[in-house]
Amino acid sequence: DTGVSQDPRHKITKRGQNVTFRCDPISEHNRLYWYRQTLGQGPEFLTYFQNEAQLEKSRLLSDRFSAERPKGSFSTLEIQRTEQGDSAMYLCASSLGGSREEQYFGPGTRLTVT
Amino acid sequence: AQSVAQPEDQVNVAEGNPLTVKCTYSVSGNPYLFWYVQYPNRGLQFLLKYITGDNLVKGSYGFEAEFNKSQTSFHLKKPSALVSDSALYFCAVRDDTGGFKTIFGAGTRLFVKA
């Protein structure tokens, strides 16, 4: 068990460009979450997958954001036409579910939009 | 709608003294409650949870928390603080009404002075 990994750890992009982040959850975890965290705030829920199905998506998530988990293993989060307000830490977490609700977080991808 | 409040931005305590980090919540159904800790330059780590059962739950590193349904609180406690406990602490909640959205508080920075 190597924990949750995220790639890249840092991304600097120009406004208007598209970016894609990857998350590899703990292998036996069927639940996967994406969050966004800005300085001085707690993680903000973006979306949730159970296996390959995206079961919940925040209303705060604009149409520029999309996430996939094609085979129920790794997941990608894409942001199209990035804006400066998208600059944040993007966190991925996974959990077993059932009585094991606790989430295990990856180190995050820090996005800077210039 | 779900919400979490951590009323203190920072808690200062002397090493060896007891510590309390406060959390109150609001959910529609029954709460699933969590505490996470974030050390500098490290990812969020799970500390403890309340799902059901005993109101006093024990977690990692000697921390415990008490679920109080009437006061809708889930305060984090430790009998004797260590300097190494200095970190950012987040309370989180989701409810049991079928959604998977987890709401995090804004965080409380704990500073333990030697």
Side-chain angles (χ1 to χ4, degrees):
Chain A
D1 179 0
T2 57
V4 178
S5 61
Q6 293 186 245
D7 183 70
R9 295 291 302 276
H10 304 273
K11 179 70 177 180
I12 300 174
T13 191
K14 292 185 177 180
R15 185 164 50 96
Q17 297 296 305
N18 299 343
V19 294
T20 299
F21 309 143
R22 177 180 171 124
C23 170
D24 287 89
I26 293 172
S27 58
E28 63 267 31
H29 286 185
N30 61 358
R31 298 185 178 188
L32 187 145
Y33 308 77
W34 283 99
Y35 294 89
R36 177 170 60 192
Q37 187 177 22
T38 53
L39 198 61
Q41 299 297 319
E44 176 187 19
F45 173 83
L46 293 178
T47 192
Y48 162 76
F49 288 86
Q50 185 159 316
N51 298 310
E52 67 275 11
Q54 186 175 22
L55 296 184
E56 196 157 352
K57 187 175 176 180
S58 171
R59 286 176 292 174
L60 299 174
L61 213 60
S62 77
D63 291 343
R64 298 185 297 107
F65 287 72
S66 63
E68 294 183 339
R69 194 183 183 196
K71 297 182 179 179
S73 56
F74 73 93
S75 176
T76 58
L77 177 69
E78 181 183 17
I79 309 174
Q80 296 182 328
R81 305 181 303 281
T82 53
E83 302 172 356
Q84 287 188 322
D86 296 331
S87 295
M89 178 74 85
Y90 289 84
L91 300 171
C92 176
S94 68
S95 71
L96 267 173
S99 63
R100 299 294 303 276
E101 288 277 343
E102 62 270 24
Q103 296 174 34
Y104 293 83
F105 283 81
T109 295
R110 182 168 296 284
L111 173 66
T112 302
V113 182
T114 63
Chain B
Q2 303 168 85
S3 66
V4 175
Q6 293 183 243
E8 301 150 319
D9 290 337
Q10 182 165 313
V11 169
N12 298 307
V13 64
E15 188 174 34
N17 284 359
L19 68 87
T20 299
V21 182
K22 296 179 180 177
C23 171
T24 58
Y25 67 90
S26 174
V27 295
S28 301
N30 294 309
Y32 296 168
L33 293 155
F34 307 86
W35 277 101
Y36 291 86
V37 60
Q38 189 168 37
Y39 297 102
N41 299 315
R42 296 181 64 179
L44 279 156
Q45 296 178 33
F46 167 73
L47 269 183
L48 52 77
K49 66 183 177 186
Y50 172 82
I51 304 296
T52 186
D54 290 341
N55 290 343
L56 184 65
V57 294
K58 295 185 183 296
S60 307
Y61 312 121
F63 284 93
E64 59 188 30
E66 185 167 12
F67 169 60
N68 187 317
K69 188 172 183 177
S70 63
Q71 297 186 2
T72 61
S73 68
F74 190 58
H75 301 332
L76 181 70
K77 299 182 179 184
K78 186 173 183 181
S80 178
L82 299 173
V83 172
S84 57
D85 292 331
S86 298
L88 188 56
Y89 291 81
F90 292 98
C91 181
V93 66
R94 81 165 182 88
D95 67 28
D96 67 347
T97 58
F100 297 92
K101 182 177 182 179
T102 302
I103 302 298
F104 283 76
T108 298
R109 186 163 298 281
L110 173 67
F111 182 71
V112 181
K113 185 176 180 180

